[in-house]
Amino acid sequence: PPPSSSPPSTAQSSPQSSSSPTATKEDITEEENEECGEMEVYFDCNSNSMNDNTSSPKEGMQVAGEEEGLDEKSNSFTSFYYDTIFVSSSNRYLNPNSGNPSSPKNTNQEDSTAGGADVDVSMTLHHIAQIFRRRRQHEASLSAYYASLRGMRRALGDRHPNVAAILGNVGNLHKEMGEYDRAYGIYQEVLSIESHHLGVSHPEVAVTLHNIATIESSRGNYEEAVTLYRQVVQLQRTLFGPNHMSVAITSSCMASVFEKMGDTKRAINAYEATLKVRTVLLGRHHVDVGRLLHKLGSLAFRREDFRIAEAYLARASKIYKYNKLEADHPWTKDIARDEADIRAKLSLGRKYGEDYAEC
């Protein structure tokens, strides 16, 4: 089958100004993934000077990425230097996958890093976590994320928007690791913080609701996912207008859920809504428009609406040719096969049309 339409971005977070540390989100962009994914947070930070008395790696403690024999695929590390930063005996944000005890053995560790509990250190740790995440070193990434979270929490408090920003990215990583229940709990905490500070009609709240819907879909709770996606689409239309890319992305994700439910009719309606927005924003010859038409043709074929499927696929094929996709490109091969299947079905229908009419 043809690839699904483009999912929400997992673009990396980055600081944007040296003003007050208020969480924000950028315009949502796209990235090619296999299925609808999470939307990710962006946030600002203040420019507190970097403290010089942050702790250095302790003897015998691993610094992720530098130790000998690193296996990026296995993520086999159990202890990282980052697990010791900003640690206190009562901290709720210890790395759950690190194997660390609930209370650190070194009771002086908190004092050794207390002066470094500022936003700059936490931001640096966050960037390190993002790098490990891009390299798919999940355990190292979690270690740095949770250290960043502990520092930001100590500097700004439990319910600051920057804490929500980091928590959102931690939730995204847990989702990528298939830890859906843990990601769901984190997203709920993010939603609580954002709703309190920003109100329920804020763009960041829409992103978090989208992420929760994605988790519900991944866990097989399709009706709950559809309900949340509908809520997000309404909010996005109110915030950005009907022809915004975020509306197209969420509509596409909702269509994907309808597909999983076997409801091809509602899937087609949702993909049609996505197609309308993408055509306005990208132009009718864009390859993403072609991919959506291909998807719609495949769904119409499954419904045995062969004439409609033929029309969708003919438009998609022209767009692929316009974008000069090679003959051996997977999408070109797929659409050639699908068009051949439809021609065969239509030919069969013409040959036995009278018999079909009698039935």
Side-chain angles (χ1 to χ4, degrees), residues 95-117:
N95 177 3
N97 293 355
S98 68
N100 285 350
S102 57
S103 297
K105 294 180 181 179
N106 179 4
T107 56
N108 294 324
Q109 183 63 46
E110 182 178 1
D111 294 338
S112 68
T113 60

Side-chain angles (χ1 to χ4, degrees), residues 25-238:
K25 283 191 177 68
E26 293 289 351
D27 290 338
I28 295 167
T29 57
E30 301 173 82
E31 180 182 84
E32 294 182 359
N33 285 326
E34 293 180 357
E35 60 181 357
C36 288
E38 69 279 355
M39 294 182 179
E40 193 148 305
V41 69
Y42 292 77
F43 56 94
D44 298 335
C45 67
N46 62 10
S47 55
N48 294 343
S49 58
M50 184 73 76
N51 241 313
D52 292 331
N53 60 343
T54 54
S55 59
S56 58
K58 303 298 185 293
E59 183 178 356
M61 182 64 67
Q62 294 170 332
V63 179
E66 295 182 0
E67 57 274 39
E68 185 176 354
L70 172 63
D71 182 354
E72 293 186 11
K73 295 183 179 179
S74 68
N75 292 310
S76 59
F77 305 121
T78 58
S79 181
F80 302 93
Y81 163 56
Y82 312 115
D83 292 334
T84 72
I85 302 177
F86 301 139
V87 172
S88 66
S89 59
S90 61
N91 207 300
R92 292 190 295 119
Y93 296 116
L94 293 169
N95 177 3
N97 293 355
S98 68
N100 285 350
S102 57
S103 297
K105 294 180 181 179
N106 179 4
T107 56
N108 294 324
Q109 183 63 46
E110 182 178 1
D111 294 338
S112 68
T113 60
D118 61 29
V119 174
D120 282 348
V121 174
S122 298
M123 280 299 304
T124 299
L125 286 163
H126 181 268
H127 293 319
I128 291 169
Q130 297 287 66
I131 291 170
F132 282 128
R133 182 177 168 191
R134 287 196 295 269
R135 293 167 61 181
R136 299 192 180 279
Q137 293 175 232
H138 293 153
E139 297 298 337
S141 181
L142 277 178
S143 177
Y145 268 141
Y146 277 101
S148 173
L149 188 59
R150 291 191 298 269
M152 197 70 77
R153 177 173 168 261
R154 285 175 56 173
L156 303 175
D158 280 347
R159 297 183 64 81
H160 192 277
N162 274 12
V163 172
I166 298 175
L167 274 171
N169 290 337
V170 173
N172 292 346
L173 179 54
H174 280 299
K175 177 188 175 293
E176 290 171 16
M177 297 170 68
E179 298 174 351
Y180 299 129
D181 290 342
R182 183 168 288 164
Y184 181 85
I186 291 173
Y187 286 148
Q188 290 290 349
E189 186 173 358
V190 173
L191 183 62
S192 173
I193 297 172
E194 290 177 340
S195 299
H196 174 75
H197 282 280
L198 307 172
V200 295
S201 299
H202 193 276
E204 293 186 21
V205 173
V207 170
T208 302
L209 287 171
H210 177 107
N211 290 346
I212 294 172
T214 301
I215 291 293
E216 293 287 31
S217 175
S218 298
R219 298 197 300 184
N221 300 328
Y222 299 135
E223 291 293 348
E224 291 83 353
V226 168
T227 298
L228 285 169
Y229 279 138
R230 289 188 190 280
Q231 182 180 347
V232 173
V233 167
Q234 280 298 119
L235 182 54
Q236 289 168 335
R237 285 173 175 163
T238 300

Side-chain angles (χ1 to χ4, degrees), residues 250-324:
T250 305
S251 296
S252 181
C253 291
M254 183 164 57
S256 178
V257 175
F258 286 136
E259 274 195 86
K260 293 175 182 177
M261 297 169 67
D263 191 340
T264 54
K265 182 177 180 180
R266 288 200 291 177
I268 287 174
N269 290 338
Y271 279 129
E272 282 279 12
T274 303
L275 178 66
K276 180 180 178 180
V277 177
R278 288 186 185 274
T279 302
V280 170
L281 296 177
L282 304 176
R284 58 194 180 93
H285 298 304
H286 195 279
V287 69
D288 282 354
V289 173
R291 293 175 69 192
L292 269 172
L293 288 166
H294 193 171
K295 166 65 76 175
L296 285 162
S298 296
L299 288 172
F301 181 87
R302 285 164 55 184
R303 292 178 56 82
E304 299 186 355
D305 295 330
F306 300 128
R307 290 294 184 188
I308 295 174
E310 183 182 40
Y312 278 132
L313 292 182
R315 291 169 63 191
S317 182
K318 289 180 180 179
I319 292 173
Y320 288 169
K321 290 176 182 176
Y322 179 86
N323 285 276
K324 297 180 171 59

